[in-house]
Amino acid sequence: MSVAKRPTPVKRKSLNVSELSPTSKFFVYGILVLIALFWTVPTLGLLITSIRIPDDASNSGWWTVFTGNAHLTLQNYVDVLGTGGGEASNTAATINLNQAIVNTIIMAVPSTVIPIFLAAIAAYAFAWMVFPGRKILFMILVALLVVPLQMSLIPILRDYRVLGLNGTFLGVWLANTGFGLPLATYLLYNYIVTLPREVFESAVIDGASHPVMFTKLVVPLSVPAFASFAIFQFLWVWNGVLIPLVFLGDKQNVTVLPQRILQMIGTYGANWTILTAGAFVSMAIPLAIFIGFQRYFVRGMLAGSVKG
Amino acid sequence: MVQPSSSQPRQSTSNPTTLAGLIAALVVTLFVYFQVFLFLREGTANPWIIFIVSLLWGIGGIWLLFTLVTSIVDLLPSKYRQGIMPWVFAAPAILLVFYYLLIPTFRTFWLSLLDAKSDKFVGLDNYIFAFTSPAMLESFKNNLIWIIFGGGLSVALGLLIAALSDRTRPSFEVSVKTLVFLPMAISMVGAAVIWKLVYQYSPAGASQIGLLNSIGTTLGASPIPFMITRSINTYLLVIILIWMQTGFALVVFAAAIKGLPSELLEAARIDGATELQSFFKITIPYIQVTIISVSTTIVISTLKVFDIVFGMTGGNYGTQVIANEQYTQMFRSFDYGRGAAVAMVLLIAVLPVVYFNVRDFGKEAKGF
Amino acid sequence: MKHAKIAFAVTLVTASLATLALAQATKTINVLGAFGGAEATKFQAVIAVFEAKNPGIKVNYSTSADFNTVLNVRVQSGDYPDIAGIPQPGVMKDLAAQGALAPVAAATSALIRKNYAPAWADLGKADDKKIYGVFHRVNVKGLVFYNKTAFEGAGYKVPKTWVELQALTKSMESSKAAPWCVGMESGGATGWVATDWLENIMLRTQTTKIYDQWISGAVHFNSEPVKNAFKIVDSIWGNPKAVYGGRGSIAATSFLDSAKGLFTSPQQCWLHMQGSFATDFLQDSIKKNLDANVGVFVLPMINTKLPTTLEVGGDQWVMFKGKNRPEVQKFMSFLATGASADPWSKLGGGLFPHKDQNLDAYSTKLERSFTEIILSAKSARFDASDAMPSAVNQAFWKGTTDWVTGGGTLDSVLNDIDAAYKK
């Protein structure tokens, strides 16, 4: 199968950098450093608060650790990870940390992959296939992006009880898929629709069918779009509290990570040091995935320019 | 319109044996699929076994079903094939979305016509509330601020950072992108703590735990109770959204800019275009669709904004937004009628955005 | 050979024991509550005592971040837990009216009559006069906390009457610290500190009859008794010298931080009014020795002709419809006995209303004294805002918050709250 060649932007980046004049280089780097700084300072506050003792955290600003007010401790992490003594750790320890992480992964991975696959084929249909109701169905899909999740929970939980899906991972995957599909389909549609028409035309002339065009053309060309949507869906699912709470219920063997952290907070709330340490623990895995996915964001498109 | 199969003689004659074989395979697959469904529903096995089975079932299984069904449809006579094939692609997503979102929306609409306990039909009473109550009028004003200020800046900043970082060393680019992306990975609870540490107020004379007031008092200003100061508090909450969402815009824009063919830029450069000119004349038009889709997504999330307001001010001090009012009516006041009507208002509010998105839909005869 | 035989025998015994254990299937009770963290740990200790007494029954306690939403969604979809701990009597009555709850068994209600003051049994009743709720951990509100060392060092005396309290705070205005620390910021729940203040003033100026009518809506918010309570609160909150940071800082300060002001250096204030749970918010160093550091008195009566009436609050445990299995009833009965109080009172951080509890179990004199206050109270009333219909409670929170931050005049705020009753 031969396909019209897409422009292959090989090594464009290095070329550009060398062409920036020293002044513009200074401005580009300067602006970005400023922005990065602005974005990072609040997070830095979180990180530092997570290693302070509670009395300090409520008494003085986190930046005072740089001016000598440093009683730093890892106890908050010990509490969150539930491996040591301390009042709060006992509660957490009843929900094993490893189990919670495993549960979150079991919940999050299929909840990410299934919607992407279903959204990709649907987006392809909306973009490159002709069928009655195409426009109105797409309109409904976009409009449903705005439906508040809470409105759906009650009728679905009712059905789940009848179907026996309540409290199972299966139910959560399907729910996350259903709730994530409008955005996934919408974003992937907008990507797939911009693929050059010539690519498809020549494939059609060669006698390729839709399934073939989808697997051989669209999928390889869409890797960066899949990768970026995957990371977002993963994050939403990973940090989501409401859906697992409602559909997985309260059994301890299915408790997920954010739930476990929230359970460490008493009635009157705000235990800042525990919360901040918890936030960092639950951030670690999505962040690692994002950094791991970097190369797909960068190279996906270049690798995508397939030929026959 | 080109028909993919019209030029392909091999497929126009379907092979009955292959067809029968595929259908048999499909039946077996469906049976196994259902058995695995029952196994997963049971959910009593070792979590890792569940995990592996679930991946095989959820991903491999769906792929297998898709392949089998498309193969069967491919063998059908062309007139059936053209009618059925699009549905094989689109139906799974459409059915799931209908079940999880559309049907509940009809139920919401019905509830919005009933009273607080859903006992009595009250007509449009709840909608009168949704369009006239002071809390809702305040919400409309605030949501507009969220859309314009929050949506606009998230998109603009995302685009700016994507365009600039594209021109830097790869290691630097990755670092900037990671740092801006970082807040997306932080749970809402964590983010609320972070920003309390920024906006926190203590009376003059006490040590300031909040970053802004600490800087302010060091410079000699008197501390400001930011969250309860009505003229600025909504804008300060919007900054939290920008901080959390720009990473999304950035990642999507960066991917789009990477797809920009270098020939286009080089041609512009040879024509003597400046960096700025080629950004506005080439980059922006090239990624226009991406800009629209990112803007749409962000506008919708500003319409739905809830967590930030709920966690920081609870909608007090003039910061109420539609989604928080909906939550309050439904889960605090237990007034289902009003809660549902407010949810429907959100749906109405998003219609202009929907229209903007489908305006050009199918104008040029796309599709095969 | 001998080893093999022993091994075989051991295997056989183990296997048969395992079979026996399996045959005696464990019964599980699922309990849903609003508290987590250290409080949940302490409740686990209560559960452990129950499980030790009742082998074969396992109690799963779980909490949820968004208790209101989760409980509501689960009830609406018929997915009931076995037992839930509900903080608001108003919500309990709603659930009972919907038919979602099962009244307690006869054995449990007998225990309630025996072990509780009649007021607690009444608070557990829904509109149909049946008892649904069992109170376990409770709290008492309207307590004024002070820094013992500093207070006594400055030569202040605990006021016995409202007039004495006014004189005391007046003299404090010219001291190194403000008389009061008040903070009401509580995220999505902001408002409850203000309503607690108003309710306590109501109980100190009006008869319990008026208070009850206020809850039921017969006495409007925009009426003399309630307006008067707002004015008394305003005479303190609105006086820039009386509150640390002045009125403007009240809504900007977290209720968690305001309690700490008694022990900061420099000291911010002399007095802090809050529920018995405020000891949880104090600095860790202070918490280590509460008895030595913290002094407490009950806010004195304003209308001295009235008998002292305390404001109390607490979660009540309810059973759901169709879930009143024998083991669930057993656990409810257990919660109604003093034996369920002691494991927690030993660990601190909880007060219990059971007459048959062991007062010596309390880990601090302070908490023991709170409990004695609760047990000896001739008259007590529940937190009014929590007992009002949910929509009114919500409007009450929002209204007082608006009032404190200048978002509305007293009259407009009161009329808004009254409007919530009409729904």
Side-chain angles (χ1 to χ4, degrees):
Chain A
M1 184 175 77
S2 81
V3 160
K5 297 268 188 298
R6 286 203 79 196
T8 328
V10 187
K11 288 177 189 160
R12 173 168 67 79
K13 294 171 56 53
S14 50
L15 196 77
N16 283 349
V17 173
S18 63
E19 281 183 12
L20 277 178
S21 69
T23 338
S24 22
K25 208 171 175 175
F26 174 80
F27 274 109
V28 167
Y29 279 86
I31 293 173
L32 288 176
V33 167
L34 275 181
I35 290 175
L37 215 61
F38 175 78
W39 245 260
T40 317
V41 165
T43 321
L44 185 69
L46 185 79
L47 178 65
I48 291 175
T49 306
S50 74
I51 51 171
R52 301 184 77 195
I53 59 171
D55 277 2
D56 275 5
S58 54
N59 252 335
S60 56
W62 54 264
W63 51 91
T64 56
V65 299
F66 297 118
T67 57
N69 186 5
H71 305 103
L72 301 184
T73 171
L74 286 177
Q75 187 58 40
N76 303 320
Y77 284 91
V78 174
D79 285 351
V80 168
L81 298 173
T83 52
E87 228 179 12
S89 67
N90 295 340
T91 331
T94 60
I95 304 162
N96 183 286
L97 177 77
N98 292 334
Q99 170 97 58
I101 291 177
V102 169
N103 285 339
T104 320
I105 293 172
I106 293 179
M107 176 186 77
V109 174
S111 297
T112 307
V113 182
I114 299 174
I116 289 184
F117 178 67
L118 294 182
I121 55 177
Y124 175 79
F126 281 119
W128 298 103
M129 293 168 113
V130 182
F131 57 97
R134 186 165 82 132
K135 186 169 180 172
I136 184 80
L137 285 171
F138 191 74
M139 279 176 76
I140 292 174
L141 209 67
V142 181
L144 288 177
L145 280 172
V146 85
V147 171
L149 211 61
Q150 293 104 335
M151 304 306 300
S152 292
L153 299 179
I154 293 168
I156 290 168
L157 188 57
R158 235 176 244 170
D159 290 354
Y160 271 22
R161 286 186 58 239
V162 176
L163 295 170
L165 282 175
N166 197 7
T168 66
F169 283 111
L170 187 60
V172 183
W173 298 331
L174 292 173
N176 276 318
T177 303
F179 296 135
L181 267 174
L183 185 63
T185 313
Y186 173 73
L187 287 179
L188 294 184
Y189 165 83
N190 276 308
Y191 183 82
I192 290 173
V193 82
T194 58
L195 295 174
R197 188 179 171 81
E198 308 83 55
V199 175
F200 294 96
E201 272 169 353
S202 53
V204 166
I205 291 164
D206 282 359
S209 62
H210 280 298
V212 172
M213 289 202 288
F214 176 75
T215 46
K216 294 277 156 60
L217 293 177
V218 175
V219 172
L221 283 171
S222 307
V223 170
F226 292 167
S228 44
F229 184 76
I231 188 82
F232 296 128
Q233 172 78 6
F234 185 81
L235 280 178
W236 285 314
V237 173
W238 185 267
N239 282 328
V241 179
L242 198 56
I243 294 182
L245 216 50
V246 169
F247 293 125
L248 276 181
D250 43 26
K251 283 184 235 150
Q252 301 199 340
N253 60 339
V254 288
T255 302
V256 293
L257 202 55
Q259 225 175 313
R260 182 177 178 275
I261 290 164
L262 287 169
Q263 290 188 353
M264 304 183 70
I265 305 163
T267 313
Y268 298 103
N271 189 341
W272 284 12
T273 49
I274 293 277
L275 279 178
T276 48
F280 261 93
V281 169
S282 61
M283 212 164 95
I285 289 176
L287 208 63
I289 290 177
F290 175 75
I291 294 168
F293 268 41
Q294 274 294 335
R295 61 197 198 91
Y296 293 102
F297 297 138
V298 180
R299 298 217 201 104
M301 205 57 187
L302 309 181
S305 38
V306 276
K307 33 210 165 298
Chain B
M1 198 114 322
V2 198
Q3 299 303 337
S5 48
S6 55
S7 58
Q8 205 183 33
R10 181 183 58 80
Q11 288 191 347
S12 54
T13 53
S14 62
N15 178 342
T17 334
T18 321
L19 188 65
L22 282 170
I23 291 175
L26 181 65
V27 170
V28 172
T29 310
L30 279 175
F31 177 75
V32 173
Y33 204 73
F34 184 69
Q35 290 305 315
V36 179
F37 170 87
L38 293 181
F39 167 77
L40 288 174
R41 193 176 73 171
E42 205 53 48
T44 45
N46 177 298
W48 284 112
I49 294 175
I50 293 190
F51 181 61
I52 290 162
V53 172
S54 71
L55 281 185
L56 287 176
W57 182 85
I59 299 149
I62 291 179
W63 178 256
L64 192 64
L65 280 180
F66 175 72
T67 313
L68 283 172
V69 174
T70 50
S71 309
I72 291 169
V73 176
D74 243 355
L75 290 177
L76 295 176
S78 140
K79 57 173 179 176
Y80 297 117
R81 180 168 65 232
Q82 282 160 40
I84 296 173
M85 191 62 95
W87 295 106
V88 178
F89 278 73
I94 290 174
L95 289 177
L96 275 170
V97 170
F98 274 24
Y99 174 70
Y100 279 95
L101 291 166
L102 189 66
I103 297 174
T105 303
F106 286 129
R107 176 178 171 274
T108 305
F109 175 68
W110 175 238
L111 288 181
S112 75
L113 302 174
L114 305 177
D115 71 349
K117 302 254 178 277
S118 309
D119 291 334
K120 215 168 64 214
F121 186 82
V122 294
L124 293 179
D125 277 9
N126 294 318
Y127 287 90
I128 292 171
F129 166 85
F131 283 106
T132 61
S133 79
M136 282 303 285
L137 294 179
E138 180 185 307
S139 303
F140 289 137
K141 190 198 85 194
N142 286 335
N143 270 104
L144 211 60
I145 296 176
W146 282 90
I147 292 173
I148 294 169
F149 189 57
L153 277 178
S154 302
V155 173
L157 275 168
L159 194 55
L160 176 79
I161 302 169
L164 290 183
S165 64
D166 188 47
R167 317 299 307 274
T168 60
R169 278 197 316 276
S171 59
F172 184 84
E173 180 187 356
V174 170
S175 316
V176 169
K177 273 161 70 177
T178 307
L179 288 177
V180 175
F181 175 84
L182 207 74
M184 288 220 64
I186 295 176
S187 60
M188 197 48 231
V189 198
V193 177
I194 290 184
W195 287 91
K196 277 183 179 157
L197 291 170
V198 174
Y199 293 145
Q200 181 83 323
Y201 160 88
S202 309
S207 94
Q208 296 292 337
I209 302 166
L211 184 61
L212 279 185
N213 272 322
S214 173
I215 295 172
T217 47
T218 310
L219 297 176
S222 47
I224 304 165
F226 289 108
M227 284 300 103
I228 65 167
T229 306
R230 283 165 197 264
S231 51
I232 51 170
N233 51 10
T234 292
Y235 293 94
L236 295 174
L237 296 179
V238 170
I239 289 177
I240 304 178
L241 176 102
I242 296 172
W243 181 75
M244 294 188 86
Q245 291 246 342
T246 301
F248 166 75
L250 167 64
V251 169
V252 180
F253 284 144
I257 288 176
K258 295 278 176 248
L260 182 61
S262 57
E263 285 87 344
L264 283 177
L265 287 175
E266 272 156 29
R269 215 161 284 152
I270 291 162
D271 291 346
T274 64
E275 291 286 335
L276 221 54
Q277 279 169 334
S278 58
F279 177 73
F280 283 107
K281 296 257 167 62
I282 295 166
T283 310
I284 297 261
Y286 186 84
I287 63 166
Q288 193 192 5
V289 178
T290 312
I291 295 176
I292 293 175
S293 65
V294 169
S295 308
T296 303
T297 314
I298 290 187
V299 163
I300 288 174
S301 65
T302 54
L303 265 175
K304 277 174 91 168
V305 67
F306 162 70
D307 290 325
I308 297 175
V309 177
F310 181 78
M312 299 295 289
T313 65
N316 285 306
Y317 331 118
T319 58
Q320 189 64 303
V321 288
I322 302 175
N324 191 49
E325 179 66 17
Q326 190 256 332
Y327 176 88
T328 307
Q329 289 296 342
M330 202 151 160
F331 294 114
R332 283 290 176 75
S333 302
F334 300 112
D335 189 328
Y336 284 90
R338 283 183 177 180
V342 174
M344 294 309 291
V345 168
L346 271 181
L347 210 57
I348 299 166
V350 82
L351 289 181
V353 183
V354 176
Y355 170 77
F356 188 76
N357 266 278
V358 295
R359 211 180 30 168
D360 296 332
F361 198 92
K363 216 180 226 172
E364 14 169 347
K366 278 200 172 133
F368 294 97
Chain C
M1 216 38 210
K2 204 177 171 190
H3 286 286
K5 270 184 186 165
I6 294 173
F8 180 69
V10 170
T11 319
L12 203 69
V13 171
T14 322
S16 43
L17 278 178
T19 324
L20 265 177
L22 279 176
Q24 195 197 4
T26 33
K27 296 177 178 126
T28 308
I29 309 173
N30 289 310
V31 180
L32 183 68
F35 52 81
E39 291 159 287
T41 311
K42 290 165 186 168
F43 192 59
Q44 290 292 353
V46 175
I47 289 173
V49 170
F50 175 77
E51 287 177 344
K53 277 188 194 162
N54 298 279
I57 304 181
K58 177 150 176 33
V59 180
N60 274 336
Y61 173 76
S62 61
T63 177
S64 88
D66 197 346
F67 180 77
N68 258 341
T69 312
V70 171
L71 182 68
N72 194 38
V73 166
R74 289 185 59 173
V75 168
Q76 291 298 321
S77 32
D79 177 30
Y80 302 147
D82 294 331
I83 292 175
I86 297 172
Q88 295 99 3
V91 173
M92 184 277 284
K93 286 182 183 169
D94 278 355
L95 291 177
Q98 284 171 34
L101 302 183
V104 297
T108 314
S109 79
L111 282 170
I112 291 173
R113 285 204 191 86
K114 190 167 92 108
N115 295 339
Y116 290 80
W120 292 107
D122 289 344
L123 284 168
K125 282 181 188 162
D127 297 333
D128 58 4
K129 303 289 173 217
K130 287 182 188 149
I131 299 181
Y132 289 88
V134 175
F135 281 88
H136 187 241
R137 187 187 54 149
V138 298
N139 55 61
V140 53
K141 296 181 175 185
L143 300 178
V144 181
F145 293 81
Y146 58 88
N147 177 339
K148 225 176 190 174
T149 326
F151 192 84
E152 283 160 8
Y156 293 130
K157 293 271 173 307
V158 170
K160 297 264 183 312
T161 64
W162 181 254
V163 179
E164 280 179 35
L165 177 66
Q166 280 180 311
L168 176 69
T169 53
K170 188 85 206 155
S171 71
M172 285 170 172
E173 282 177 18
S174 50
S175 75
K176 58 173 181 173
W180 297 95
C181 272
V182 187
M184 66 180 281
E185 191 275 322
S186 179
T190 301
W192 64 266
V193 173
T195 60
D196 278 6
W197 266 78
L198 287 159
E199 287 150 11
N200 275 295
I201 300 293
M202 280 295 282
L203 285 174
R204 278 156 185 78
T205 52
Q206 305 296 331
T207 60
T208 49
K209 196 177 161 209
I210 300 271
Y211 187 85
D212 293 341
Q213 287 175 338
W214 179 43
I215 292 173
S216 68
V219 167
H220 290 245
F221 273 82
N222 200 352
S223 66
E224 257 333 292
V226 184
K227 261 185 166 170
N228 182 46
F230 270 87
K231 276 176 195 149
I232 292 173
V233 173
D234 189 45
S235 72
I236 297 168
W237 290 25
N239 174 359
K241 283 187 193 152
V243 177
Y244 174 69
R247 187 190 189 120
S249 76
I250 291 176
T253 307
S254 157
F255 69 96
L256 292 162
D257 293 334
S258 58
K260 296 188 175 80
L262 298 171
F263 297 97
T264 49
S265 135
Q267 195 187 337
Q268 295 174 346
C269 54
W270 293 104
L271 306 169
H272 179 66
M273 185 168 100
Q274 188 51 281
S276 48
F277 42 80
T279 49
D280 280 358
F281 316 150
L282 299 172
Q283 289 88 336
D284 285 341
S285 50
I286 305 302
K287 273 192 271 190
K288 281 193 190 113
N289 196 351
L290 280 180
D291 286 339
N293 289 317
V294 184
V296 174
F297 60 88
V298 178
L299 189 75
M301 293 302 286
I302 298 172
N303 180 347
T304 46
K305 291 190 189 94
L306 297 172
T308 306
T309 305
L310 291 176
E311 179 179 351
V312 293
D315 298 348
Q316 53 183 322
W317 298 95
V318 296
M319 266 188 313
F320 282 84
K321 195 174 188 178
K323 303 286 184 179
N324 47 352
R325 305 185 300 274
E327 64 270 22
V328 179
Q329 294 183 3
K330 219 173 208 172
F331 188 62
M332 291 289 280
S333 292
F334 175 68
L335 290 176
T337 61
S340 70
D342 306 342
W344 192 330
S345 58
K346 215 181 297 173
L347 296 168
L351 313 178
F352 299 86
H354 308 76
K355 283 194 271 191
D356 61 331
Q357 67 184 311
N358 175 11
L359 284 175
D360 295 330
Y362 283 92
S363 61
T364 62
K365 284 196 190 103
L366 199 66
E367 282 171 326
R368 187 188 166 128
S369 71
F370 293 160
T371 310
E372 280 162 351
I373 291 173
I374 293 175
L375 290 175
S376 66
K378 298 236 164 26
S379 166
R381 282 295 179 272
F382 205 83
D383 183 317
S385 60
D386 283 345
M388 289 170 181
S390 311
V392 181
N393 187 2
Q394 183 59 37
F396 193 7
W397 281 3
K398 175 136 181 67
T400 47
T401 307
D402 281 347
W403 174 67
V404 172
T405 57
T409 63
L410 182 54
D411 277 324
S412 74
V413 162
L414 294 177
N415 287 333
D416 283 352
I417 305 173
D418 277 329
Y421 268 107
K422 290 181 191 104
K423 285 289 302 165

